[in-house]
Amino acid sequence: MIRFVLLVFFFLGILFQGLINAEILNVPAGYITIQDAINASQNGDTVLVADGVYYENINFNGKNIVVASNYIFDKDPSHILNTIIDGSNPLQSDSASCVRIVSGEDSTAVLAGFTLTGGTGTKWIDEHGAGIYREGGGILITLSSPTVVNNVIINNEAIDRTGVASAGGGGIRAGDSNAHIYNNIIAHNKGHYGAGVVWNYATGEMKNNIIVYNSGGEDFGGGGIWTYAMGTTIIENNVIAYNSVTGSGGNKGKGGGILIWSTSITAKNNIIWGNTQTSGGQVYLAGGASADVTYSDVEGGYIGEGNIDEDPLFTGDIYLPSSNSLCIDAGNPDPAFNDPEDPGNPGFALYPSQGTIRNDMGAYGGPMSELLPFIITSIKDNGSGNNLPEYFHLFQNYPNPFN
């Protein structure tokens, strides 16, 4: 419980630091574009973006600032759905990520409360001499360690091979970083490797995310996550489901859920289910890689303490295990991983966690559990050709009503 309280204070401190001794730059009331406000900001400022569609491809430009929608104030999910950075109309086609954080920013550089869509990635010279790649359809992170929290990263891609060795990281590409990726939905993105997330020479954490329906993997595999991790990388309490990869030969078409290349990761309390691949399992180890996978539900099974192979029985399309799922109270029993406790029902978890306070596998378990109320259940193309969904569906935050 102490650890949970400290985490809460830590993130509140990050998200609201701009309210204390720094400036709030309002978009569009004070600045027409998000980039205009970033350019005018200083470390510690908050760029606060009102609801609207912003056809931009923004760059943090090395500034440790908070760029956020009004969701950070009232937790109203409509702000996430209605504050959209659409990267489909870039000024330069080779710099077409929705967001770039590439200039040494640290964890106090925060991106919070947006829908990111329409990005097609940025041509980028690999830091380790592997050539030129197009990466990061939604977000490109390199040589930086930002916090990315409470975003919907949807319908982005990194697939154009023109003039590059390959293209990947349709949702997020993090390289040479110590990034913190929390409570996001990363869905319906495309990449020839790491269709959802590329994690290259990186450390850091991916916690309580829903990574679903990303596709590609024709070059190097990895539907949900492709990782060449360095040092400590923690993949904890995520749902990694229904991603797909195709192709054959080498690592092509392997690792529908996660592909780990030549390194090791620590993965615990995850649900890795329903991913499809040409060959191999949901988690694929390539080039002598290893993975310490524990207390996770992995379709097809995976050797590790506490692992199970059982249908998680997701409720509807919100990726919350049903009350009779064997994923409930099946995560790591160490109290450090406990779900938040319901103050009105001691010993039992606070919704959306379920059962007792023992960790639930999946995105709704653990001390950082929160309902991701902006769940996508259906998507309709609006016919404009810009990849922007015409509508989203919202589910009731049962049993706590919200608008």
Side-chain angles (χ1 to χ4, degrees):
M1 187 62 183
I2 292 174
R3 180 173 179 267
F4 170 66
V5 171
L6 290 175
L7 280 169
V8 170
F9 280 115
F10 172 73
F11 289 112
L12 287 176
I14 288 177
L15 291 175
F16 291 101
Q17 64 171 317
L19 302 178
I20 301 173
N21 296 314
E23 185 177 355
I24 296 178
L25 293 80
N26 290 284
V27 180
Y31 298 87
I32 295 174
T33 70
I34 302 171
Q35 192 63 56
D36 285 342
I38 291 173
N39 293 343
S41 69
Q42 299 181 23
N43 286 344
D45 286 348
T46 294
V47 173
L48 186 63
V49 184
D51 290 11
V53 180
Y54 299 85
Y55 290 92
E56 297 192 52
N57 305 83
I58 67 172
N59 191 329
F60 272 56
N61 286 333
K63 296 181 178 181
N64 292 317
I65 57 176
V66 175
V67 180
S69 74
N70 282 294
Y71 180 77
I72 65 170
F73 291 107
D74 59 19
K75 296 295 184 181
D76 182 342
S78 70
H79 293 307
I80 296 172
L81 296 178
N82 294 321
T83 313
I84 300 167
I85 300 177
D86 185 325
S88 64
N89 190 28
L91 296 176
Q92 298 180 350
S93 61
D94 290 340
S95 299
S97 304
C98 294
V99 179
R100 283 176 288 161
I101 308 174
V102 298
S103 303
E105 296 88 346
D106 64 25
S107 62
T108 61
V110 179
L111 180 73
F114 293 95
T115 290
L116 308 179
T117 193
T120 54
T122 298
K123 276 189 177 180
W124 195 255
I125 299 174
D126 181 84
E127 299 87 346
H128 302 276
I132 300 174
Y133 289 77
R134 180 179 291 275
E135 297 181 308
I139 305 173
L140 178 68
I141 301 168
T142 189
L143 301 170
S144 305
S145 303
T147 300
V148 177
V149 59
N150 289 120
N151 301 283
V152 173
I153 303 164
I154 182 171
N155 281 354
N156 303 283
E157 64 183 34
I159 58 173
D160 183 356
R161 293 191 181 98
T162 305
V164 300
S166 185
I172 299 175
R173 185 272 191 182
D176 291 83
S177 71
N178 183 31
H180 304 81
I181 313 297
Y182 303 139
N183 299 103
N184 301 281
I185 293 175
I186 304 168
H188 297 279
N189 303 289
K190 297 179 181 179
H192 294 306
Y193 58 98
V197 178
V198 163
W199 200 258
N200 189 44
Y201 283 88
T203 61
E205 299 178 334
M206 285 180 265
K207 294 184 178 183
N208 296 88
N209 301 286
I210 293 175
I211 303 172
V212 293
Y213 292 108
N214 302 287
S215 62
E218 301 90 343
D219 287 358
F220 308 120
I225 300 171
W226 182 100
T227 176
Y228 187 104
M230 300 297 290
T232 302
T233 291
I234 296 173
I235 299 174
E236 182 179 307
N237 275 111
N238 302 281
V239 168
I240 304 168
Y242 309 116
N243 303 286
S244 63
V245 290
T246 59
S248 60
N251 293 328
K252 299 175 181 179
K254 295 179 178 177
I258 306 174
L259 187 142
I260 304 107
W261 170 254
S262 294
T263 53
S264 63
I265 63 167
T266 298
K268 47 198 168 189
N269 309 327
N270 299 289
I271 297 175
I272 305 172
W273 194 268
N275 304 287
T276 58
Q277 48 279 320
T278 304
S279 62
Q282 307 253 321
V283 178
Y284 186 78
L285 306 179
S290 63
D292 181 17
V293 179
T294 58
Y295 295 98
S296 294
D297 185 10
V298 183
E299 185 174 7
Y302 200 92
I303 296 174
E305 184 178 4
N307 290 336
I308 62 174
D309 176 12
E310 299 287 345
D311 189 332
L313 302 176
F314 290 129
T315 303
D317 291 307
I318 66 173
Y319 308 103
L320 176 71
S322 67
S323 59
N324 60 337
S325 170
L326 295 180
C327 295
I328 303 303
D329 292 340
N332 193 306
D334 187 315
F337 299 101
N338 278 357
D339 301 333
E341 187 174 37
D342 183 348
N345 195 10
F348 290 88
L350 180 68
Y351 189 85
S353 298
Q354 302 179 74
T356 70
I357 59 173
R358 176 174 168 172
N359 186 287
D360 294 342
M361 294 175 178
Y364 299 105
M368 294 181 64
S369 168
E370 62 178 77
L371 187 66
L372 303 180
F374 35 91
I375 300 302
I376 301 151
T377 67
S378 59
I379 302 170
K380 180 180 178 183
D381 190 335
N382 67 5
S384 67
N386 64 5
N387 292 320
L388 184 64
E390 183 175 274
Y391 60 75
F392 297 86
H393 282 181
L394 289 155
F395 269 79
Q396 177 69 24
N397 181 5
Y398 180 83
N400 301 309
F402 72 102
N403 293 319

